[in-house]
Amino acid sequence: MGVKEQMVAILQSEETARIRFEYASGQIKVNVTADAFRRVATALTKGRLNVVEGRHARNTISYSALKDGDDAANTFYLGMNNRSSRDFNALVVHESVHAYFDLTKTEIPWADNEAIAYIAQGYYLRNSGFPESRMEMGNHYRLGYLIAGSFAEGTTAPNLVADLRKNLLKDPDYEHYIEKTFRGDG
């Protein structure tokens, strides 16, 4: 199975289908459901979104909505990922949130875009039975996992969401764009 087909399978999996939450922060209110991931899976299948392997030297995936330097628009860039891990699957879910906002022409602050993606990533990990004990304290995806747990229990976790946003705003990996606005262009 090629990586694109594997990504489609992840986005159509039972673990991903059970992701459902409402994110609210300030003026932003977004509902994330299985429909978002199905839409990205369909776009991958129909060739509207591309996948490039080997772009990053580490275990990471990124999504490029717009052409920027060497990055093509509407493209997932994969790194040196272990494609047989739940970590890989969760990264696919995370980056698919960005692709969904691109496909739906959503305008959203990057801090919220990333926070929503980390919560979806945490939901996937939680739904797949990934143990919290294997996550590093203070890591963004661990906060997403904890937030997903509170959402699943019916609480809104506003303090955890605020902590995740604060952590993202001060993370040097995101400093070049985190205070800007994401504008999807379809």
Side-chain angles (χ1 to χ4, degrees):
M1 172 186 311
V3 70
K4 189 182 262 193
E5 293 78 16
Q6 181 180 2
M7 291 172 68
V8 168
I10 292 163
L11 295 173
Q12 295 175 338
S13 72
E14 180 183 327
E15 295 86 358
T16 305
R18 292 191 343 248
I19 297 171
R20 176 179 301 284
F21 64 94
E22 180 180 277
Y23 174 91
S25 177
Q27 301 296 318
I28 303 299
K29 188 180 249 186
V30 175
N31 286 306
V32 177
T33 67
D35 291 336
F37 303 105
R38 279 194 292 270
R39 186 163 182 174
V40 174
T42 298
L44 279 163
T45 301
K46 292 185 175 187
R48 290 187 55 212
L49 300 176
N50 303 302
V51 179
V52 174
E53 293 183 81
R55 169 59 73 85
H56 306 292
R58 56 190 178 122
N59 178 31
T60 192
I61 301 175
S62 61
Y63 177 76
S64 176
L66 305 171
K67 180 168 177 27
D68 183 24
D70 291 337
D71 287 350
N74 309 321
T75 303
F76 289 92
Y77 289 99
L78 282 61
M80 305 307 291
N81 305 89
N82 174 359
R83 289 182 23 206
S84 64
S85 71
R86 286 181 285 183
D87 178 54
F88 175 78
N89 298 357
L91 286 170
V92 169
V93 167
H94 175 114
E95 292 303 322
S96 292
V97 168
H98 304 318
Y100 174 73
F101 288 147
D102 184 25
L103 290 169
T104 57
K105 300 180 180 181
T106 299
E107 186 171 313
I108 186 170
W110 262 111
D112 295 306
N113 189 341
E114 287 292 353
I116 294 165
Y118 275 109
I119 295 167
Q121 181 179 0
Y123 246 108
Y124 180 89
L125 291 168
R126 186 179 191 281
N127 290 347
S128 71
F130 195 88
E132 183 184 345
S133 62
R134 290 188 48 203
M135 297 181 195
E136 296 174 37
M137 294 295 284
N139 192 301
H140 304 311
Y141 72 88
R142 183 175 184 276
L143 275 173
Y145 183 97
L146 295 173
I147 294 165
S150 69
F151 285 169
E153 293 167 3
T155 60
T156 59
N159 292 338
L160 287 175
V161 171
D163 288 346
L164 177 56
R165 285 186 89 261
K166 274 190 265 179
N167 288 354
L168 289 164
L169 287 165
K170 66 181 182 183
D171 186 327
D173 288 341
Y174 296 102
E175 68 185 355
H176 64 284
Y177 70 90
I178 199 69
E179 293 188 34
K180 296 179 182 175
T181 299
F182 175 90
R183 289 177 178 82
D185 67 352

